[in-house]
Amino acid sequence: MEGLDGGKVQDLASLLSGEGRDYVVRKNSDKIVAIYFSGHWCPPCRRFTPCFEVVFVSSDRDEESFNEYFDGMPWLAVPFCDAAARRRIKELFNVRGIPLLVVLDGSTGKVLTTEGVGVVREYGTAGFPFSSERRRNQTLKTLLASGSRDFVIRSNGDKVPITEIEGKIVCLYFFAGSFPPCVEFQSTLSEMYGELKNRGSPSRNAVAGSAVQDKTIEKLTRYFELSTIPTLVVIAPDGKTLNPNAAEIVEEHGVDAYPFSPERLAELVELERQREESQTLESVLVSGSLDYVIGKNGSKVPVSELVGKNVLLYFSAHWCPPCRVFTPKLIQVYHEIKARDAAFEVEYYSSMPWLALPLGDPRKKSLNQRFKIDGIPSLVAIGPSGRTVTTEARDMIEERGSAAYPFTDDAGLGGDDDDDEEKEDEKCAAAAAPEGYVCEGDVCRKA
């Protein structure tokens, strides 16, 4: 059963009536109709009192309990004696727990939401009419205010009235303080915020989830349907949602992502296309004075010495079980390719025969962002021109070994040369990923 605008449509007359009974349904009604599943014996049900007309579908065990419960309700009900109708309605909406409040549009029979209990508890009458209209009426105050609280706070505890940040671009930051991906992102977000403040940008502000110390956090989490952290919701000056999660574009573009508008995002896409077309190995691996990689003995190898070669960028980690399975195969392929073509190199990001970025090198982060690395091991192939040949070189090596070189086509993908023993080793690897990461199958990624 879908909620909001994706809801199914029901015929109210056939839905609520029973054999020889149609008196619960008002003919030609254009009202919002809520179907309330509840029972007198259920404590959470007795604590929940919806603030609009409903049709009560009882889960009571006997008619005496039903009558006692229904006597305190101002709305309608499906008669307790019509057990067949009550059972049919519960089956239709897959009722597995109570209280449950299903809200329908009385004029069309469209299901607006099956989560009416949560909506009424959090928004009260402000939740009406439980459709996209509620989001269209969204303002910064409806999002952030709660009861008698009409302010947010600074880190020093100072109260900031919500009215003072209305009319600005406001970012709602949802995070967990000790979660590594959030810790990493917060550094980027703080840098962006500081730069915007130094610019004197008039329309910028940030409200962290922890800066609101009541149930508003839970309400906003549900309202924006959060499924991951960090999440950065961007609210436009008019109070409407501009971007439901700008965390990725902030990580990738930093302050250049501001003001997060569709027009700015389109500009960034074009800039990205131009950057890819003009990409060189130096533009990928050189950052300021960091113009080198390191060899096995710790010696610095200038990036300029790699120009004109086929280069693989290997994203991996010792703690990653799939990486420890793939690395030996890559070493074998490396030697086989190196024997055929000396103008070939691998960069690792030690039993490894290739070059590497130094531990803790800041270029690692920019490379992850540039090539959108969301799981390891990953292997990116850079051609002699410095342009990206493929970001799927790992798959090509898994399928074709050294025959995949120079990674300019994927004709061999889809073969059946997988090493079953290695696949089983991947699944059975016992090493735990560090906090903030999860390993599934043959890849490890941020949780």
Side-chain angles (χ1 to χ4, degrees):
M1 191 65 57
E2 301 179 24
L4 298 178
D5 289 339
K8 293 183 179 179
V9 175
Q10 304 291 341
D11 177 71
L12 285 180
S14 61
L15 174 66
L16 296 176
S17 63
E19 185 175 352
R21 176 188 57 77
D22 66 355
Y23 50 82
V24 166
V25 178
R26 289 190 176 101
K27 300 295 186 180
N28 301 319
S29 172
D30 60 355
K31 293 184 177 180
I32 298 295
V33 178
I35 304 176
Y36 184 38
F37 300 87
S38 183
H40 178 265
W41 52 266
C42 169
C45 303
R46 294 199 301 272
R47 290 194 297 268
F48 173 71
T49 305
C51 54
F52 53 93
E53 183 176 353
V54 302
V55 176
F56 173 40
V57 180
S58 176
S59 292
D60 286 306
R61 298 182 177 90
D62 55 72
E63 191 161 8
E64 182 181 356
S65 297
F66 166 79
N67 289 332
E68 180 183 350
Y69 196 24
F70 187 46
D71 186 55
M73 298 178 179
W75 44 69
L76 307 173
V78 174
F80 184 82
C81 60
D82 197 345
R86 291 189 290 116
R87 182 169 55 252
R88 173 174 50 82
I89 297 170
K90 291 176 183 178
E91 291 175 353
L92 178 63
F93 293 106
N94 194 32
V95 178
R96 293 291 181 267
I98 55 174
L100 177 70
L101 191 65
V102 178
V103 184
L104 304 94
D105 186 323
S107 61
T108 65
K110 181 179 181 181
V111 176
L112 300 180
T113 183
T114 59
E115 299 180 355
V117 170
V119 173
V120 171
R121 279 175 174 163
E122 293 175 4
Y123 298 99
T125 56
F128 187 83
F130 312 101
S131 66
S132 58
E133 182 67 28
R134 179 165 60 93
R135 292 186 182 272
R136 287 196 293 270
N137 292 335
Q138 172 185 305
T139 66
L140 197 61
K141 190 170 184 178
T142 62
L143 290 175
L144 297 181
S146 176
S148 60
R149 182 187 55 75
D150 59 357
F151 59 87
V152 290
I153 60 174
R154 299 189 186 279
S155 58
N156 62 3
D158 289 349
K159 296 179 180 180
V160 179
I162 295 174
T163 54
E164 286 191 11
I165 58 175
E166 287 181 324
K168 298 181 178 181
I169 291 178
V170 175
C171 297
L172 306 180
Y173 178 38
F174 298 85
F175 67 99
S178 60
F179 190 51
C182 295
V183 173
E184 183 178 343
F185 175 72
Q186 189 161 326
S187 175
T188 302
L189 181 62
S190 297
E191 183 179 335
M192 181 192 74
Y193 181 80
E195 188 167 343
L196 288 174
K197 187 174 182 180
N198 290 335
R199 287 184 185 178
S201 300
S203 298
R204 48 100 186 104
N205 225 306
V207 177
S210 60
V212 180
Q213 302 292 346
D214 51 31
K215 291 185 178 181
T216 302
I217 298 174
E218 181 180 348
K219 178 187 75 173
L220 292 174
T221 298
R222 292 186 180 183
Y223 183 79
F224 290 112
E225 300 177 349
L226 261 63
S227 60
T228 185
I229 54 174
T231 289
L232 191 70
V233 179
V234 182
I235 306 301
D238 62 0
K240 304 301 185 289
T241 302
L242 186 60
N243 192 308
N245 190 2
E248 184 176 339
I249 62 172
V250 169
E251 282 185 326
E252 184 172 354
H253 300 285
V255 72
D256 291 336
Y258 183 82
F260 316 105
S261 63
E263 294 78 13
R264 182 53 184 161
L265 298 186
E267 292 174 359
L268 292 175
V269 169
E270 176 59 23
L271 290 172
E272 179 69 17
R273 185 189 65 79
Q274 294 176 10
R275 185 181 70 171
E276 290 177 357
E277 289 183 352
S278 61
Q279 176 179 297
T280 64
L281 192 63
E282 291 98 329
S283 69
V284 171
L285 290 179
V286 175
S287 176
S289 61
L290 299 173
D291 59 356
Y292 60 88
V293 292
I294 57 173
K296 286 295 294 180
N297 59 1
S299 61
K300 295 181 180 180
V301 178
V303 172
S304 57
E305 292 187 8
L306 303 178
V307 173
K309 295 184 177 182
N310 288 287
V311 175
L312 291 180
L313 305 180
Y314 183 36
F315 299 81
S316 180
H318 181 266
W319 56 259
C320 164
C323 300
R324 295 204 303 273
V325 171
F326 178 69
T327 298
K329 185 168 188 175
L330 180 59
I331 291 174
Q332 177 184 345
V333 167
Y334 173 82
H335 287 304
E336 291 175 1
I337 296 176
K338 197 75 170 175
R340 302 199 314 262
D341 184 358
F344 171 72
E345 197 51 76
V346 176
E347 302 291 337
Y348 173 51
Y349 284 145
S350 267
S351 61
M352 296 182 182
W354 44 65
L355 304 173
L357 288 182
L359 183 66
D361 194 297
R363 287 174 290 179
K364 174 187 173 182
K365 182 177 180 180
S366 64
L367 288 168
N368 274 276
Q369 293 173 351
R370 175 186 282 265
F371 296 108
K372 297 178 173 59
I373 304 299
D374 64 355
I376 54 174
S378 288
L379 201 60
V380 176
I382 307 294
S385 67
R387 298 278 297 277
T388 302
V389 177
T390 180
T391 59
E392 306 295 334
R394 177 200 173 189
D395 291 339
M396 300 176 74
I397 285 179
E398 292 277 20
E399 296 289 349
R400 301 173 61 189
S402 61
Y405 183 76
F407 312 104
T408 52
D409 66 76
D410 57 359
L413 292 179
D416 56 0
D417 298 328
D418 294 330
D419 187 319
D420 293 336
E421 185 176 343
E422 284 190 357
K423 290 288 185 181
E424 191 62 28
D425 285 344
E426 288 180 15
K427 295 177 182 178
C428 298
E435 184 182 4
Y437 290 83
V438 61
C439 295
E440 297 176 340
D442 62 353
V443 70
C444 294
R445 56 172 55 90
K446 287 183 179 180

